Amino acid sequence: MTTWLPIPADSDFSIYNLPFGIIETPSGRMGAGVPIGDYVIDLVAAADAGLFGARRRHVQLFEQPTLNNFIALGNDFAKRIRRRLQQWLCESKLPKNSTDILYERSQVRVHLPIQVGDYTDFYSSLEHATNVGKMFRPDNPLLPNWRWLPIGYHGRASSIVLDGTPIRRPCGQILPKGSETPIFAATQQLDFELEIAFVIGKESRLGHPIPIEQAEEHIFGLLLFNDWSARDIQRWEYVPLGPFLGKNFASSISPWIVTLEALKPFRTRGPVQRPTPLEYLRLRGWHHYDIALEVSIRPKDGPETVVCRTNTRYLYWSMAQQLAHHTINGCNVRPGDLMASGTISGPTSDSFGSLLELAWGGQKPISLADGSTRTFLLDGDTVIMRAYAQRGHLRVGFGQVCGTILPAIKGD
Ligand code: CA
C-alpha cells in the first residue's frame, strides 16, 4: 500500500497497523484516534467528514472518552473502519479534508483507551514460571498443575494506568531475611514485569464457556503491559491465595490497541505442549504471535540501557487457551476486560522479562550504561518497554509503555 502521507520506514505505526486509542485534540475534545507515522487520525473529524457514511452515528460512536462502545460492536466493524482508513490514506492525491482530520502526534494528548472492567493476569511463560519457582521454591520449581492449565489470578482494574504515569514505590509488610516477624517498610525489591495484554471486544454469557475455536473472535486487540511488582511484599503474602498487594499498586498499559487483524501476518507456531492439554484447550493451527519485545532502564539523568530482549512466541499458553480456560467454568467476559499474559521470559538469561530473573533474586546485579548496577529498581529509574512485529517492510508496532519510580511516602 502506498500513501500520500510520509511515514518513516521504522515507524511502529505503518499503514498496515492502524491501532486505536483515545486522544484529546488541541481544542480539548476527547475521542477515538488512530496513529499513522508521526500523525494521528482524529476519528471524530473523519466521521464528521463522512469518511465512514452515516455521519451522526459515527460521530456519536467515536466522540467518547473510551473505546468501550466502539469495540463492543465487534471485530468486523473495526475491520471495516481500518480498511476505510487505508483506502483514504491510499487515495491517488492528497484528500481535501486531510488537514481537518490529521494532527501531528505531538499536538494531541493520549488517554487510557478503555475503561477496564475486570483484569486477569496469567502466568503463561514456562521459562518465567520455572525461574521464579527456582528462587521461591528451589526443591519444587514448577508445580504439577502448571503444564495442565494456564494459571492466572484476578487482579485489580482500578490501578491500571497509562504510559508515562509515575509509579510511587509502595510500602507494605516485609519479612526480613532470618526473621519470623514482619516489618512495615517501603519495598526494597521493586520490579517490572514485561507482558502483553489482550482486550476483550465481545461479550460472553454467564454460564456459557467460550469454545477455544471461537476465542479469538472475543479478542479485540493487544497492548503492552508492565505489571509492576514488589517482590519482598509478594514473597511474604502470596501463600496461600496468590498475589495481592505486591502487585495491585499499579500496572501500566500502552495507549494504542493493536488489532488482532493487524497482527495476522505475524502468527506463528507455539511451543510443543507436553503433556497434550485436555480437549477444551486443544486448537489446531498457529495461535501464537511473533512480536519482538524489549525493556530498557533509564536512570535519573543517565542514558538508557536495554536490559532484556524477548518475544511473545515463547509463551507456552496461547491467548485462545487462556480465554477458553478462563470461561470453562461459565465465567463471563465483557468488552473492556483486560487479560495479561504473565511475564514473558525467553530461554536465555538476556531474554528474561523481570529484574527478579535478570539479576537472579539479587545475586547477579546487572550493569547499566552509566556504570551503575541494579538488582531491583531505584527511585528515579524509568522503565521503558517496546514491542513490534516485523517481516520485511511490513512493520506493526505497539509504541511504548514507560513509568518513572517516585520515592515512597511512608505512613510513619
Ligand atoms: Ca504478572
Side-chain angles (χ1 to χ4, degrees):
M1 283 187 270
T2 315
T3 166
W4 39 263
L5 193 69
I7 299 174
D10 61 349
S11 175
D12 276 352
F13 305 114
S14 68
I15 193 167
Y16 303 99
N17 191 352
L18 305 185
F20 295 95
I22 290 291
I23 58 168
E24 183 183 334
T25 63
S27 67
R29 180 169 43 64
M30 302 266 284
V34 171
I36 174 85
D38 297 329
Y39 295 85
V40 62
I41 303 169
D42 175 358
L43 289 192
V44 180
D48 199 33
L51 226 63
F52 312 114
R55 198 167 289 188
R56 188 190 295 178
R57 186 180 141 233
H58 287 96
V59 168
Q60 272 174 4
L61 180 65
F62 291 131
E63 194 172 354
Q64 299 278 338
T66 70
L67 295 173
N68 290 54
N69 291 348
F70 164 56
I71 63 180
L73 293 179
N75 290 351
D76 284 344
F77 184 77
K79 256 182 235 176
R80 277 211 301 278
I81 298 295
R82 283 181 68 251
R83 282 192 192 146
R84 179 68 190 104
L85 291 174
Q86 285 171 336
Q87 230 174 31
W88 179 74
L89 287 161
C90 290
E91 281 178 19
S92 54
K93 55 180 194 235
L94 185 70
K96 272 204 295 276
N97 50 17
S98 64
T99 47
D100 309 328
I101 294 177
L102 281 173
Y103 290 99
E104 284 179 31
R105 266 199 292 139
S106 55
Q107 287 180 282
V108 302
R109 277 184 65 190
V110 288
H111 290 270
L112 274 177
I114 44 170
Q115 181 176 9
V116 180
D118 284 303
Y119 152 56
T120 300
D121 195 19
F122 284 95
Y123 192 54
S124 289
S125 156
L126 176 64
E127 288 81 1
H128 173 70
T130 308
N131 288 338
V132 174
K134 278 182 192 163
M135 280 178 259
F136 281 35
R137 295 176 303 274
D139 44 340
N140 191 16
L142 200 65
L143 295 174
N145 56 4
W146 199 92
R147 283 178 182 272
W148 287 102
L149 54 89
I151 301 283
Y153 70 95
H154 287 118
R156 181 99 197 141
S158 64
S159 52
I160 292 175
V161 297
L162 187 65
D163 165 49
T165 307
I167 304 300
R168 179 71 65 186
R169 178 179 296 273
C171 296
Q173 283 202 24
I174 295 165
L175 189 69
K177 216 173 180 174
S179 172
E180 283 178 12
T181 33
I183 56 167
F184 176 75
T187 175
Q188 293 308 301
Q189 300 190 343
L190 186 54
D191 201 356
F192 59 79
E193 288 193 334
L194 169 62
E195 308 193 16
I196 283 277
F198 61 89
V199 178
I200 295 293
K202 182 179 170 186
E203 194 157 13
S204 72
R205 281 171 60 207
L206 183 64
H208 294 258
I210 298 174
I212 191 159
E213 304 77 28
Q214 293 168 25
E216 291 193 354
E217 294 168 26
H218 290 261
I219 300 174
F220 179 78
L222 272 61
L223 291 165
L224 257 169
F225 192 89
N226 182 352
D227 184 22
W228 303 96
S229 301
R231 301 301 182 188
D232 37 12
I233 297 173
Q234 182 186 351
R235 189 177 288 109
W236 170 234
E237 73 176 4
Y238 88 104
V239 177
L241 277 187
F244 188 34
L245 305 184
K247 295 280 189 178
N248 70 2
F249 57 95
S251 306
S252 303
I253 59 172
S254 55
W256 308 110
I257 308 177
V258 177
T259 63
L260 272 199
E261 175 77 0
L263 290 165
K264 248 187 191 165
F266 308 100
R267 278 176 185 270
T268 187
R269 194 194 301 275
V272 176
Q273 296 186 320
R274 294 269 184 275
T276 304
L278 298 180
E279 182 67 29
Y280 77 93
L281 290 171
R282 273 183 231 157
L283 184 60
R284 288 177 190 281
W286 293 4
H287 301 280
H288 281 65
Y289 291 84
D290 181 3
I291 303 168
L293 304 160
E294 63 171 52
V295 185
S296 291
I297 297 176
R298 189 175 65 224
K300 192 173 187 298
D301 305 321
E304 192 181 314
T305 307
V306 176
V307 296
C308 157
R309 285 195 175 89
T310 186
N311 194 297
T312 53
R313 70 169 186 268
Y314 295 131
L315 285 167
Y316 188 86
W317 297 105
S318 68
M319 292 184 285
Q321 288 176 315
Q322 290 166 355
L323 191 50
H325 183 67
H326 200 306
T327 61
I328 193 61
N329 64 346
C331 172
N332 54 328
V333 296
R334 294 176 291 201
D337 286 357
L338 199 64
M339 311 215 170
S341 58
T343 308
I344 304 168
S345 291
T348 57
S349 58
D350 57 356
S351 63
F352 297 163
S354 66
L355 272 177
L356 178 71
E357 296 162 85
L358 289 163
W360 208 255
Q363 292 173 34
K364 298 178 185 166
I366 58 163
S367 300
L368 302 185
D370 67 351
S372 64
T373 60
R374 290 291 180 283
T375 50
F376 291 100
L377 296 168
L378 300 182
D379 293 344
D381 283 352
T382 300
V383 176
I384 306 145
M385 296 179 173
R386 299 184 175 93
Y388 64 91
Q390 184 144 17
R391 190 154 299 153
H393 69 288
L394 197 67
R395 184 176 166 111
V396 171
F398 287 70
Q400 63 174 38
V401 60
C402 74
T404 301
I405 307 303
L406 300 180
I409 299 175
K410 278 174 74 174
D412 56 2

